[in-house]
Amino acid sequence: MNSKTLTSISLGTPKRILRLDASASPGDSSSRKLGSYLLRQLEQGAPAIETRVRDLNTGLSFIDSNWIAANFTASDERDVKQSARLAFSDELIAELNWAEHIILTTPMYNFGVPATLKTWIDLICRAGVTFRYGADGAEGLLKGKRIDIVITTGGAPLDSPVDFVSGYLKQVFKFIGIEDINIIGADQMNVDGEASFATAISQIEQTYPAIAA
Ligand SMILES: Cc1cc2nc3c(=O)[nH]c(=O)nc-3n(C[C@H](O)[C@H](O)[C@H](O)COP(=O)(O)O)c2cc1C
């Protein structure tokens, strides 16, 4: 491979970003707004970006006994119905595999993650696909990726005893092999929303300084 080819690859290959949004509120959602800001900063700081977006409020359904049975059947022994039952989960996992960088935005709902996000987690945590069990216990299989997790709350402080969002999400993503985890928090939005939002914006700008035009 000559140097010209190398240059064209390094400048021409877009960074693959997957954006996942969990808030049930579409338009004026604070977590979604922060996710858009983060994405803009990334777009300005990188030569090229390819983005895929998935709204977790659309199209996800709970795992059930048929799904579990299909998942616990070896892939070469599944019947047509079982393969079909896992097809959407396969699609979600393919998206994760495709992405180099993930942006997840989520509010806190009742001290935890929204049910939509938990549903997505149940669909993407699959033994032999996103993690495996070996002699040393579980090993995550989605290596070399980064995730920014934007979390908003109304009254609960992040990292407090009533925050069952940030620690849980860190555990889930480490479990599937994503070790590079950055949490951006706009917590206690009902106490001083402007200040919380500004703190999160400044955290984003420090993490991803935009290149001045
Ligand atoms: C159903 C529901 C449950 C909530 N539960 C909590 C909670 O347990 N603790 C908290 O601090 N805020 C809670 N909130 C407030 C949201 O976390 C907060 O308003 C957040 O900024 C919403 O983000 P969004 O605008 O992106 O949807 C809840 C909001 C809703 C709608």
Side-chain angles (χ1 to χ4, degrees):
M1 193 180 283
N2 61 34
S3 60
K4 199 173 167 211
T5 315
L6 274 174
T7 307
S8 71
I9 286 174
S10 63
L11 289 178
T13 308
K15 188 171 190 157
R16 299 184 303 275
I17 297 182
L18 173 64
R19 173 176 177 172
L20 305 164
D21 295 304
S23 171
S25 307
D28 60 349
S29 150
S30 52
S31 57
R32 286 173 192 256
K33 275 187 198 153
L34 288 167
S36 299
Y37 192 84
L38 197 160
L39 192 54
R40 273 200 299 280
Q41 289 293 113
L42 275 174
E43 279 165 356
Q44 287 175 34
I49 276 178
E50 188 183 344
T51 309
R52 292 187 190 174
V53 180
R54 183 172 287 276
D55 187 335
L56 302 184
N57 288 274
T58 311
L60 273 65
S61 53
F62 300 148
I63 60 170
D64 59 13
S65 60
N66 288 335
W67 188 96
I68 292 168
N71 186 35
F72 282 91
T73 303
S75 56
D76 55 354
E77 288 173 16
R78 280 177 203 139
D79 62 26
V80 175
K81 262 190 166 176
Q82 287 181 314
S83 299
R85 190 68 190 91
L86 295 177
F88 185 57
S89 159
D90 291 340
E91 187 184 324
L92 296 177
I93 292 168
E95 260 172 14
L96 271 178
N97 274 319
W98 168 86
E100 297 166 79
H101 190 142
I102 298 142
I103 299 171
L104 167 64
T105 74
T106 183
M108 174 186 284
Y109 282 173
N110 303 310
F111 310 105
V113 298
T116 48
L117 177 51
K118 178 60 166 63
T119 303
W120 179 84
I121 289 167
D122 288 345
L123 288 165
I124 61 96
C125 288
R126 278 175 55 191
V129 184
T130 52
F131 68 93
R132 70 177 164 216
Y133 293 111
D136 300 324
E139 180 196 358
L141 297 176
L142 301 185
K143 300 253 165 68
K145 299 179 190 296
R146 174 175 172 85
I147 185 164
D148 287 299
I149 306 176
V150 175
I151 305 170
T152 54
T153 79
L158 285 184
D159 297 323
S160 72
V162 295
D163 167 19
F164 296 93
V165 178
S166 54
Y168 169 66
L169 290 176
K170 276 189 216 163
Q171 168 61 24
V172 166
F173 286 104
K174 276 187 195 156
F175 180 66
I176 59 170
I178 302 177
E179 300 277 345
D180 188 1
I181 301 171
N182 181 40
I183 303 262
I184 291 150
D187 57 358
Q188 299 189 286
M189 292 286 291
N190 296 346
V191 178
D192 186 345
E194 264 181 43
S196 301
F197 203 81
T199 302
I201 291 283
S202 113
Q203 202 188 337
I204 291 168
E205 288 175 347
Q206 276 168 30
T207 313
Y208 302 111
I211 295 168

